[in-house]
Amino acid sequence: MTKLTILSIVTASVLLATGCSDETKKAAADTAKATSQTVAAAANDVKVSAKQVVDAAKEKASAVGDAVAQKASEAKEAAADAVESAKEAVAPKEQSTESAASSAVDGKAVFAKCVACHGQNGKQKALGKSNIIAGQSADEVVEKLKAYKAGTRNVSGMGMTMKAQVSALSDAELEAVAGYISTL
Ligand code: HEC
């Protein structure tokens, strides 16, 4: 009986030991699992915070980029404004130069070229052929002079002679001389 008792004690302790060892294994496995979860969680945390840093950096970079783009477009607008106001400053000067030029054209001075054929007072038939120009209205004379300049007027076969007289004259000069003729 003693032998049997010892045997059962041994068996029991073996069983116990085996059970213990299973539990230990399980505990070890659990610990390992928990540890690896903790490590994974920690790694994840590192990942997340790294991602946050990267995102923050990206945001910063794009904010800086936006600011630069904004500044660039502001500069562009300012430059465009400057060009526009420079244009405006120049434009009135151009206009006043133009009107000064046309009012400065002396009809009497231009008529000096015409005197040889039309006479001092415009009462002479040019080359014995033309109509008398004195007494005609300024509008009428301008219209005829522009037609000679364009080569479309030829009353007595001398249209080319008159074209040669007026082709070098500007509209302002034609208007000025017509205005003078209308006073003769
Ligand atoms: C070389 C001579 C000559 C000179 C210089 C001359 N003309 Fe004439 N002009 C003529 C002749 C010729 C005609 C007729 C042309 C035709 O056959 O249509 C004429 C016609 C005209 C007419 C049209 C008259 C009408 O009622 O039919 C006008 C206006 C005129 N001349 C103005 C001028 C003016 C202004 C100038 C100076 C810028 C000028 N002429 C210089 C010879 C001249």
Side-chain angles (χ1 to χ4, degrees):
M1 265 326 244
T2 320
K3 258 190 181 174
L4 192 69
T5 309
I6 291 168
L7 190 70
S8 24
I9 289 168
V10 168
T11 311
S13 29
V14 166
L15 281 174
L16 199 70
T18 316
C20 233
S21 129
D22 270 358
E23 263 172 40
T24 310
K25 266 194 208 155
K26 195 175 175 293
D30 283 353
T31 309
K33 204 175 164 199
T35 308
S36 83
Q37 274 172 357
T38 311
V39 169
N44 204 37
D45 280 357
V46 170
K47 251 196 221 161
V48 167
S49 60
K51 194 177 176 307
Q52 279 168 354
V53 169
V54 169
D55 282 354
K58 267 190 197 161
E59 264 172 42
K60 261 256 152 50
S62 88
V64 168
D66 284 355
V68 169
Q70 175 74 20
K71 271 262 147 32
S73 89
E74 275 173 20
K76 223 181 182 180
E77 272 172 31
D81 283 356
V83 168
E84 205 52 47
S85 58
K87 269 191 197 159
E88 276 167 25
V90 171
K93 265 189 204 152
E94 272 174 8
Q95 271 177 6
S96 66
T97 312
E98 208 171 275
S99 62
S102 87
S103 66
V105 174
D106 185 352
K108 191 175 179 180
V110 177
F111 191 68
K113 285 181 67 177
C114 325
V115 169
C117 297
H118 289 278
Q120 193 68 43
N121 300 311
K123 293 191 169 83
Q124 193 177 299
K125 281 186 169 231
L127 305 179
K129 298 242 179 186
S130 80
N131 293 320
I132 305 293
I133 58 173
Q136 294 193 18
S137 76
D139 284 352
E140 202 179 340
V141 174
V142 165
E143 200 181 300
K144 289 174 181 176
L145 295 179
K146 284 187 176 168
Y148 281 128
K149 191 174 174 179
T152 56
R153 184 175 172 84
N154 184 15
V155 177
S156 53
M158 303 290 278
M160 288 313 286
T161 304
M162 268 308 294
K163 186 178 183 193
Q165 298 303 314
V166 296
S167 63
L169 299 179
S170 67
D171 284 358
E173 286 171 318
L174 295 184
E175 278 157 26
V177 76
Y180 177 72
I181 290 167
S182 71
T183 68
L184 297 174

